[in-house]
């Protein structure tokens, strides 16, 4: 072998290594087709797409349901990529169908509902009419924070407990940081930091997995550590781990406090190194589900954690960043394969195989609207990080 040939060989190997393994352009264009189909199926904004019932019909929800911001959120992100006006009109229509939720003080999920919809809409269009709606929403959400307890209340009650907080609640803090920046009122940011610190203290186990539900008393003492959607109180419910990972990554982005970065890294390491993580890196719905490997997967947990890992990869040392990026890439390869990705059919949802609430026998192994949202977000983040487009 002569020297030139060896140099060419090394170069070819290096460039194939640098090539993104996911064809983002193709996946987003196919996703846009699916969601244009969804827009045709859903004309009346009284009902939002949620998932698919066992009989193949749509499971639909009214605006106060926690997932109703994801449809327009995905439409906004797909519009941002494609510049397709049909997607933009759909995004506007399904965002504005949520207007009354700005006053909803009965849920902690206003971050999901309003920041994915109005928040993305404001980011992309700078429509000033969206700003007061978002700020009112943040104000409504902040009423669920009792300073004596030090956390935002998730539900009105859970079993015998009156102040339950779920790990998922970390996902609403990004919205509150935005509200502080835009309004100049630090209250939203400050209460988010208190919430995140108490969650850090009380929600995590020594192995860095998290409980789903922590029940507090009226002055912030922990009464119980439970699950609602996981296999057991002491199990690691997959989507809960993903919400925590995403939440602490955002906390680090917004505050640059090392304790949040450390926590995000601990969760990431628990998640990516778990012995029950399947080869395709799409987790079972609970890492400790009793019948693994005969348990359903949760593609939504895979999509959420891939999106979070891609962001986290920018904040850690190079080698660890590469590891997170490469894990997220493998997840996106799996989710973009026909096993999980639907280029047609699938009731116009993009991903198959998510699990919503197995203990309640609800939404098991089905498409679910939030899986699509975080898959699209992860694809966009992946493309931004891996500039070269796949052919
Ligand atoms: N926040 C509820 C869930 O993740 O299912």
């Amino acid at each position: 072998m002569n020297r030139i040939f060896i140099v060419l060989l090394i170069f070819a190997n290096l460039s194939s290594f640098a090539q993104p393994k996911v064809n983002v352009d193709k996946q987003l264009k196919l996703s846009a087709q699916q969601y244009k189909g969804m827009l045709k199926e859903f004309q009346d904004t009284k009902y939002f797409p949620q998932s698919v019932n066992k009989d193949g019909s749509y499971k639909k929800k009214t605006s106060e349901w926690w997932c109703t911001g994801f449809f327009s959120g995905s439409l906004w992100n797909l519009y941002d990529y494609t510049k397709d006006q049909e997607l933009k009109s759909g995004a506007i229509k399904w965002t504005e169908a949520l207007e009354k939720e700005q006053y909803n003080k009965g849920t902690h999920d206003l971050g999901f509902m309003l920041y994915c919809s109005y928040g993305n809409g404001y980011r992309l269009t700078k429509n000033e009419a969206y700003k007061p709606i978002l700020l009112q929403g943040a104000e409504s959400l902040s009423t669920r924070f009792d300073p004596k307890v030090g956390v935002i209340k998730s539900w009105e009650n859970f079993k015998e407990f009156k102040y339950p907080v779920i790990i998922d609640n970390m996902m609403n803090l990004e919205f509150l940081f935005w509200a502080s920046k835009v309004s100049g009122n630090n209250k939203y940011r400050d209460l988010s930091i208190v919430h995140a610190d108490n969650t850090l203290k009380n929600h995590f186990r020594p192995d860095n997995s998290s409980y789903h539900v922590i029940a507090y008393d009226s002055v912030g003492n922990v009464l119980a550590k439970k699950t609602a959607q996981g296999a057991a109180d002491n199990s690691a419910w997959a989507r809960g781990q993903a919400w925590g990972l995403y939440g602490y990554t955002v906390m680090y982005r917004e505050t640059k406090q090392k304790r949040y970065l450390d926590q995000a890294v601990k969760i990431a390491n628990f998640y990516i190194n778990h012995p029950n993580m399947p080869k395709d890196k799409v987790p079972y719905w609970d890492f400790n589900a009793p019948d693994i490997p005969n348990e359903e997967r949760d593609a939504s947990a895979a999509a959420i954690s891939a999106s979070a890992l891609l962001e986290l990869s920018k904040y850690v040392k190079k080698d660890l960043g590469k590891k997170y990026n490469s894990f997220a890439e493998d997840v996106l390869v799996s989710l973009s394969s026909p096993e999980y990705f639907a280029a047609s059919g699938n009731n116009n949802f993009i991903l198959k195989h998510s699990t919503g609430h197995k203990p309640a026998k609800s939404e098991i192994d089905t498409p679910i609207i939030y899986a699509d949202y975080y898959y699209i977000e992860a694809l966009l983040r992946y493309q931004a990080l891996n500039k070269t487009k796949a052919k």
Side-chain angles (χ1 to χ4, degrees), residues 66 168 229 237 239 243 370:
W66 74 275
D168 325 26
Q229 282 160 264
W237 174 51
R239 197 163 53 259
W243 291 142
Y370 44 82

Side-chain angles (χ1 to χ4, degrees), residues 181-252:
K181 276 180 265 182
V182 170
S183 67
N185 183 347
N186 278 337
K187 163 175 104 169
Y188 307 112
R189 174 194 165 88
D190 293 347
L191 73 85
S192 297
I193 290 172
V194 177
H195 179 96
D197 285 341
N198 282 320
T199 300
L200 202 159
K201 190 166 89 193
N202 297 321
H203 252 90
F204 290 90
R205 307 184 180 106
D207 68 357
N208 302 312
S209 67
S210 55
Y211 290 92
H212 185 203
V213 188
I214 300 294
Y216 289 91
D217 71 6
S218 60
V219 288
N221 297 308
V222 172
L223 297 175
K225 302 188 174 199
K226 296 275 173 199
T227 197
Q229 282 160 264
D233 289 343
N234 60 359
S235 73
W237 174 51
R239 197 163 53 259
Q241 313 315 304
W243 291 142
L245 171 59
Y246 196 115
Y248 282 97
T249 302
V250 168
M251 283 306 296
Y252 179 70

Side-chain angles (χ1 to χ4, degrees), residues 230 236-243 271 283-288 298 301-302 305:
W237 174 51
R239 197 163 53 259
Q241 313 315 304
W243 291 142
Y271 186 93
Y284 297 102
W285 65 280
D286 189 303
F287 284 103
N288 309 106
D298 183 12
S305 52

